Amino acid sequence: MIVVEDRGMLAASMTRFLTFSAAIGFFCVLAPAVVAAETTPAKPGNGARVDFERHIMGLFGRAGCNSGSCHGSFQGKGGFRLSLFGYDPEKDFYALTREAMGRRINPADPDASLLLLKATGQTEHGGGKLFEKSSWQYQLLREWIVAGAKWTNGSGAVAGLATVPPEYRFPKSREQGQVRVVARFADGSEEDVTAFCDFRSNDDAIAEITPRGQVTALRAGDTSIVASYRGNVRAVRVLVPREAQAGFRYPELPTVNYIDTEVFAKLHRLNILPSKVCSDTEFLRRVTIDTIGSLPTPDDVRAFVADVKPDKRARKIEDLLAHPLHAALWATKFSDITGNNTDQLENPPPMRVKRSQMWHDWFRKRIAENMPYDEIVHGVLCATSRDGLSPDEWLKQVKAIDDAAANGFSTLYADRPSLDLFWRRQQAVPVEQWGEKTAAAFLGVRLECAQCHKHPFDRWTQIDYRAFANIYAPVAFGLSPETKSIADAENKTRQEKATNKNQAPQVREVFIGAPAPGKGGNVGRPLPHPDTNRPLPAKALGGPNISVGKGEDPRVALFDWLRSPDNPFFAKSFVNRVWGHYLGVGIVDPVDNFSLANPPSNEKLLDALAQDFIGRRYDIRELERTILNSRVYQLSSTPNETNKLDKNNYSHCVPRPMMAEVVVDVLNDALGVAESFNTDAPANYRAIEVGASRLQNGNVGYAFRIFGRPPRTTACDCERAMEPALPQKLFLMADQSVVNKLQKCRVQQLVSSKKRDAEIFEELFLAALSRLPTEEEKKVVENFQAMKKDRQSKERIAFFTDVEWALINTREFILNH
């Protein structure tokens, strides 16, 4: 936890000629996990015969034998290969009983089986000794071998997992409990499979778990225990209430809306008290940064503090949501989500920057108009280049946009119904990656692992991965038969006029179907079944089959499934993104990692937000309004004794880094200077208005990079780095671009305005920190005045420039709180 209340330190540091006022390092150390000792359990299977799929494969998974670092790797280990995470029982059975001349299994002399000799360390084993001859694991494997080492196909097909209990609430810390896992199989039978599960805690500072499922509560808070059985995952929420003093009664807390109700209900269960509501200046700074990526001006702060009307916060929220920069900030976030990568757009290179800006502007227009979220997604997901226009009308539109882009940044591209640039960027991307990108963007699901094997921490298989990708197979980029003749003529004309023939922008389109013969372009080939190599029908993730008929656009059917009220991901993934932006941490975090092993920290809150969003017809502005007006959003960043360790229950505002673009804009706001983006953006643009992912302006590009602006090369939200780092501090302290800005910042204007020293000092604090200086900080000016009565203008400028430098190097400035 970074505490912002370090104002005394600030004042002292400025008194010492304002050097090195902010702490430099932010580092964390990851300690290796320690495997707890395991006691001998009761006989697995409740006395039933040992089953290959249920027990033997379960034991391999439990011991890590079929993991990617062991025999589950593509090359196997020591000549022995198992299917990764046990996804293929047939292959594993064959490897155990048929390969290596059958030496791995010896029914005539079970104890001589290589499988047992290696596992007990009697024969050299790269994985070391796994268990003793007296262990239940040994007896289980031996019993299976003695019974003939049989396999019944499908006997262990899992229909579902359940944890007992479904939620664990400890009375206090240092208590222990047992989690049991029960598998329901396809034949209707149920069995306790706890002994065959792999357990892990999502936060072992709150609760730890042994390999046998024994949970120990360590400190107040909540986390999830994840149980994995043969690739099937189940999470159980663990709550550890704070120990209260005798006679403590949880107070009645005022609420504004259902957000407060759900958040405070969980805090009540944990005996955690929320912080007080933040001050007016804290609120104004926080909400202004969050909504428009800017700092309030000194006049804004004075006016807001002077306003005595009780609804002033709600009115300020309305003003900010309607501000033009609000749409620009969310256009930047949508550019991240959808992969607005300048380098992967079409040649010529000068047009790439313009196309990135068109992409950004397309989203900005829709956010400004408060277009419903589902309609925005339809414009991306189902985009084509012609959008129902005739070939002649479409070519006229293309020429108008390209001509305008050649002369500047202002084009009519944002008026198009759909964002065909999303698919034009994918021109060199294999069809399977289209599924990855759309799953992450619109479902909040990371699919990459399922490309090669069953996802270890989720339900998705290779079949799911390929079937989802096949929805996009008919999406083509090139020239359709309808546009071939007029596009050929236009492209020929462009080449004749171009100085560099290879750099002439080509007319091509996104459409459904195969490209015209001999015209290049790409259309995806459907991916076959990973095991049989037979055709695989297209299918939505966790949803219905999607028809891919001739001339049909299967993306339309996918979109209809997406926005159906019972869709398990669509609304939840977006409200979670919005929540994560405004509260600093998602209800599911990371925000694009919805999975069985990463359950929401407050499921009722997520459900309530999603249902409200659907009920209001995907109104983004109303969703933001609900969050920003909640008491939860407006809690102070100053923790109390009960919530100082809380990280994911929203009991107080957690100070958090700002987006890289916002850092650049906020720094310029504090200094009172404007940024120049040269050829990367129109004149007088702010950083959050810039569409390009890579800038020619080296100074701004460097700031973007070290503060975490993503290159937008993958579908993962993790590309945007939000962690503090040493280069960021060095940039603020000594980068030449910052030094240059300090030489022409607002100080010169303030000194020449003949304001008194105290007034200048106050103005600098309001501009950088959105608050007045404390009495202790005011002593800095008094000390300066006492040093020399006849101060020259240069001396005053130098002094207040040092003050400005010190302010922008505090944690209070660089964090949003």
Side-chain angles (χ1 to χ4, degrees), residues 99-156:
E99 291 180 355
M101 297 182 292
R103 292 176 58 240
R104 295 190 176 112
I105 302 296
N106 188 346
D109 186 1
D111 295 306
S113 298
L114 196 60
L115 180 66
L116 291 174
L117 293 174
K118 282 184 172 288
T120 54
Q122 298 177 69
T123 299
E124 184 178 353
H125 180 218
K129 187 176 181 178
L130 299 180
F131 43 76
E132 302 287 346
K133 287 187 67 175
S134 59
S135 67
W136 67 267
Q137 294 98 326
Y138 185 93
Q139 296 303 319
L140 180 84
L141 290 170
R142 189 180 189 282
E143 184 176 334
W144 175 65
I145 296 170
V146 169
K150 298 176 182 178
W151 167 48
T152 302
N153 190 5
S155 62

Side-chain angles (χ1 to χ4, degrees), residues 62 88 115 122 219 304 351 369 384 389 442 504 516 523 536 550 629 669 704 771:
R62 166 72 179 73
D88 193 332
L115 180 66
Q122 298 177 69
R219 67 165 175 84
F304 190 74
M351 283 292 288
E369 295 171 348
T384 61
L389 297 177
F442 307 126
V523 62
L536 185 64
K550 187 175 182 180
N629 278 293
D669 287 342
F704 276 4
R771 66 171 176 85

Side-chain angles (χ1 to χ4, degrees), residues 494-757:
R494 291 186 176 197
Q495 280 202 322
E496 290 173 349
K497 291 182 178 180
T499 303
N500 186 337
K501 308 299 181 185
N502 295 326
Q503 294 297 318
Q506 295 292 296
V507 175
R508 290 184 288 183
E509 64 169 319
V510 175
F511 61 100
I512 299 298
K519 296 319 297 176
N522 73 306
V523 62
R525 294 181 179 179
L527 300 172
H529 193 287
D531 298 324
T532 66
N533 212 37
R534 293 178 178 174
L536 185 64
K539 188 176 186 296
L541 282 177
N545 287 337
I546 303 291
S547 173
V548 187
K550 187 175 182 180
E552 289 184 81
D553 188 346
R555 300 174 300 171
V556 174
L558 172 65
F559 171 75
D560 290 339
W561 171 74
L562 284 179
R563 70 170 172 182
S564 60
D566 58 348
N567 185 285
F569 303 112
F570 184 65
K572 287 183 180 180
S573 67
F574 185 71
V575 300
N576 186 57
R577 284 187 186 275
V578 177
W579 180 270
H581 172 73
Y582 286 118
L583 275 296
V585 60
I587 303 171
V588 171
D589 199 72
V591 295
D592 62 345
N593 191 20
F594 277 69
S595 71
L596 296 175
N598 188 36
S601 60
N602 192 325
E603 189 170 6
K604 290 183 178 180
L605 173 62
L606 182 61
D607 288 343
L609 285 165
Q611 289 305 311
D612 189 36
F613 189 47
I614 295 170
R616 296 180 185 274
R617 299 186 178 183
Y618 302 100
D619 188 325
I620 299 174
R621 195 74 52 82
E622 186 61 31
L623 171 64
E624 294 179 283
R625 184 179 293 116
T626 301
I627 293 173
L628 295 174
N629 278 293
S630 70
R631 185 179 177 91
V632 169
Y633 174 78
Q634 298 182 25
L635 292 176
S636 170
S637 60
T638 303
N640 57 46
E641 188 60 32
T642 72
N643 68 13
K644 60 184 179 182
L645 296 179
D646 178 43
K647 297 186 296 184
N648 59 356
N649 288 298
Y650 317 109
S651 59
H652 59 99
C653 172
V654 178
R656 55 192 183 271
M658 295 176 276
M659 295 167 54
E661 301 86 346
V662 175
V663 170
V664 172
D665 286 339
V666 163
L667 178 61
N668 290 336
D669 287 342
L671 299 178
V673 299
E675 194 65 65
S676 173
F677 292 97
N678 300 331
T679 59
D680 295 317
N684 301 318
Y685 256 37
R686 294 172 66 86
I688 59 170
E689 298 180 276
V690 177
S693 63
R694 181 178 54 80
L695 304 185
Q696 299 297 320
N697 184 321
N699 292 331
V700 183
Y702 175 70
F704 276 4
R705 181 168 61 82
I706 64 172
F707 284 99
R709 181 170 168 120
R712 300 169 183 162
T713 55
T714 72
C716 182
D717 190 72
C718 58
E719 268 204 322
R720 180 175 282 278
M722 298 294 285
E723 296 78 18
L726 182 59
Q728 299 171 5
K729 178 51 59 181
L730 295 176
F731 174 83
L732 292 173
M733 291 178 67
D735 190 85
Q736 189 59 50
S737 64
V738 176
V739 173
N740 293 340
K741 289 177 180 179
L742 283 166
Q743 302 306 315
K744 55 181 180 181
C745 66
R746 68 173 69 244
V747 169
Q748 285 78 4
Q749 181 180 357
L750 289 171
V751 170
S752 63
S753 68
K754 297 183 180 180
K755 288 181 179 290
R756 293 182 294 109
D757 289 350

Side-chain angles (χ1 to χ4, degrees), residues 315-538:
R315 286 187 285 109
K316 175 56 68 173
I317 289 169
E318 292 302 316
D319 291 344
L320 292 170
L321 293 179
H323 196 288
L325 289 178
H326 174 65
L329 184 143
W330 275 98
T332 297
K333 293 187 73 70
F334 270 106
S335 289
D336 291 350
I337 294 167
T338 55
N340 181 1
N341 184 304
T342 306
D343 291 336
Q344 294 185 6
L345 290 169
E346 300 163 68
N347 281 324
M351 283 292 288
R352 290 177 178 175
V353 172
K354 306 292 182 66
R355 290 192 175 105
S356 268
Q357 194 63 50
M358 293 179 204
W359 191 320
H360 186 279
D361 293 347
W362 189 89
F363 279 114
R364 183 174 183 175
K365 174 180 172 65
R366 280 145 185 80
I367 298 298
E369 295 171 348
N370 196 30
M371 178 180 282
Y373 174 67
D374 60 333
E375 293 183 25
I376 294 176
V377 172
H378 181 274
V380 179
L381 187 68
C382 302
T384 61
S385 293
R386 276 188 279 158
D387 288 327
L389 297 177
S390 69
D392 289 331
E393 292 171 327
W394 165 71
L395 183 60
K396 182 179 179 181
Q397 180 190 73
V398 170
K399 291 170 68 175
I401 292 173
D402 286 356
D403 289 346
N407 297 311
F409 283 89
S410 179
T411 74
L412 296 177
Y413 185 88
D415 295 331
R416 287 175 37 85
S418 71
L419 183 72
D420 73 331
L421 286 169
F422 176 77
W423 297 97
R424 296 169 77 93
R425 173 207 184 279
Q426 318 292 6
Q427 56 182 306
V429 174
V431 65
E432 53 265 34
Q433 291 187 24
W434 297 359
E436 292 180 14
K437 294 177 186 301
T438 53
F442 307 126
L443 299 174
V445 173
R446 295 180 181 179
L447 272 185
E448 293 88 337
C449 290
Q451 181 176 8
C452 302
H453 53 78
K454 162 74 173 62
H455 198 297
F457 302 121
D458 212 347
R459 71 199 76 175
W460 313 120
T461 65
Q462 279 186 288
I463 295 174
D464 295 321
Y465 180 95
R466 293 186 173 207
F468 185 61
N470 283 346
I471 296 173
Y472 308 105
V475 180
F477 178 65
L479 292 180
S480 66
E482 295 83 1
T483 61
K484 175 181 180 299
S485 59
I486 63 170
D488 277 347
E490 175 63 20
N491 286 331
K492 182 179 179 181
T493 301
R494 291 186 176 197
Q495 280 202 322
E496 290 173 349
K497 291 182 178 180
T499 303
N500 186 337
K501 308 299 181 185
N502 295 326
Q503 294 297 318
Q506 295 292 296
V507 175
R508 290 184 288 183
E509 64 169 319
V510 175
F511 61 100
I512 299 298
K519 296 319 297 176
N522 73 306
V523 62
R525 294 181 179 179
L527 300 172
H529 193 287
D531 298 324
T532 66
N533 212 37
R534 293 178 178 174
L536 185 64

